[in-house]
Amino acid sequence: MQQPDPVKRVEKYSISTRLRDYMLLVKFSLTILVVFSAVISYLLAPKVVEFDWSMIGILFLAGFFVTGSANTINQVVEKDTDALMKRTAKRPIASGRMSETEGWIFAVLSGVVGVGLLWYYFNGLSAGLAAFSLFLYAFIYTPLKKVNSISVLVGAFPGALPCLIGFAAGNDTLWIGEHGTRDLGGWAMFAIQFFWQFPHFWAIAWIAHRDYEAAGFKLLPSVEGPTKYSAIQSIIYSVLLIPVGLLPYFTGLTGWVSLLIVLIANLGMVYLSVRLYYDMEVKAARRVMFGSYFYLMVVFFALLADKIG
């Protein structure tokens, strides 16, 4: 029986390891979530009247490259900090498996390609927003994380901008035009994702508090860490999601069916945040985190299914 060539086996292992490192570099799961919000917002744009899978695919790739670029810069800048935390120590740059130079080259190339795709296939507005989002996340939010917890507020802007990018790509405008107030729908999507990030991210910061504290990150609203005050802030922003969730309906973007679904989902987020306040446990914070993922998917799919043509 012929034995496999050891050289080929090592080569195969190296390629698979390299690909896995690049998936870690771009934070694959997070990037997919970001691109998801951009694509849904694009499909909600009044000018988009049918599913053009080629354009959806291009938008997906553009969003993936831009977000991957931002996440790569984040890992290059925070390589020393990442090495201190258990959850990030195995990242390719922090662990030394990949050089900073390689990270920067990948970040620049992917950023240029992503913004270029948006400019060429869609419009300058979406490309400009993508470039601004990349800059804000990589060079303002990232270093601010060690200075003050206001970084979460700052980071919520590039975190929600994919909604505006996607909507602008499909609609060519973010202001009232030929479709009336429906042309403001991108801002409604932006607002939902903006306020959603606070309970979502604070739940993550609650769970990983020890790691973040050891690395010098200031991400929870209370300087004492996971406290009642931090839980109250999650409740406040979950409550704010209720009126914000009405915006797609009142701009005329979607109908009353999604309005009811969004309202129920918003009440669910409030409930989970209140449970966090009373339980004050990592288990409760984990429920908020996973519940927020579920919330975003349910809300965005409901809005898309109920889009007014």
Side-chain angles (χ1 to χ4, degrees), residues 6-24:
V7 175
K8 289 183 178 179
R9 198 165 58 239
V10 171
E11 184 179 310
K12 183 179 179 182
Y13 174 76
S14 299
I15 292 173
S16 63
T17 300
R18 206 66 175 161
L19 287 174
R20 189 159 55 247
D21 276 348
Y22 272 100
M23 291 300 100
L24 290 172

Side-chain angles (χ1 to χ4, degrees), residues 56-293:
I56 292 172
I58 293 169
L59 178 62
F60 182 91
L61 282 176
F64 190 92
F65 280 127
V66 172
T67 307
S69 174
N71 288 333
T72 298
I73 294 171
N74 174 269
Q75 289 189 48
V76 173
V77 173
E78 294 183 348
K79 67 178 183 65
D80 294 331
T81 306
D82 281 348
L84 299 174
M85 298 189 291
K86 184 178 179 180
R87 60 186 289 270
T88 57
K90 293 183 179 181
R91 286 176 175 173
I93 296 178
S95 65
R97 295 193 307 274
M98 186 181 294
S99 69
E100 288 183 59
T101 301
E102 184 176 349
W104 277 117
I105 291 172
F106 177 80
V108 171
L109 288 177
S110 56
V112 169
V113 170
V115 172
L117 285 172
L118 288 170
W119 185 285
Y120 184 81
Y121 286 99
F122 297 97
N123 50 58
L125 177 59
S126 61
L129 286 169
F132 175 66
S133 178
L134 171 56
F135 171 79
L136 193 57
Y137 181 88
F139 300 107
I140 304 298
Y141 162 71
T142 294
L144 196 58
K145 286 159 67 178
K146 284 192 173 184
V147 178
N148 193 283
S149 61
I150 198 173
S151 61
V152 178
L153 172 63
V154 174
F157 284 94
L161 275 171
C163 294
L164 286 185
I165 294 167
F167 197 89
N171 215 48
D172 300 322
T173 184
L174 294 172
W175 309 110
I176 294 177
E178 61 180 289
H179 302 100
T181 56
R182 291 174 61 210
D183 289 324
L184 299 175
W187 294 103
M189 301 300 292
F190 172 88
I192 291 173
Q193 187 143 313
F194 180 84
F195 285 98
W196 165 84
Q197 289 177 89
F198 293 94
H200 168 75
F201 190 77
W202 282 330
I204 295 174
W206 189 299
I207 295 166
H209 172 65
R210 290 183 183 278
D211 258 1
Y212 284 147
E213 186 178 43
F217 288 143
K218 306 178 191 304
L219 299 173
L220 284 169
S222 170
V223 293
E224 287 81 20
T227 63
K228 291 281 188 181
Y229 178 78
S230 294
I232 288 173
Q233 293 300 305
S234 291
I235 294 172
I236 290 172
Y237 281 92
S238 295
V239 170
L240 287 172
L241 267 174
I242 295 175
V244 168
L246 306 178
L247 293 176
Y249 174 79
F250 284 108
T251 56
L253 193 66
T254 56
W256 64 269
V257 174
S258 60
L259 175 67
L260 292 177
I261 294 173
V262 172
L263 178 59
I264 293 169
N266 286 339
L267 292 174
M269 281 299 298
V270 173
Y271 169 76
L272 291 174
S273 296
V274 170
R275 281 288 303 273
L276 176 61
Y277 175 82
Y278 282 107
D279 295 346
M280 292 295 293
E281 295 176 351
V282 169
K283 183 179 179 180
R286 194 169 280 111
R287 281 196 295 264
V288 175
M289 182 185 72
F290 284 114
S292 63
Y293 284 125

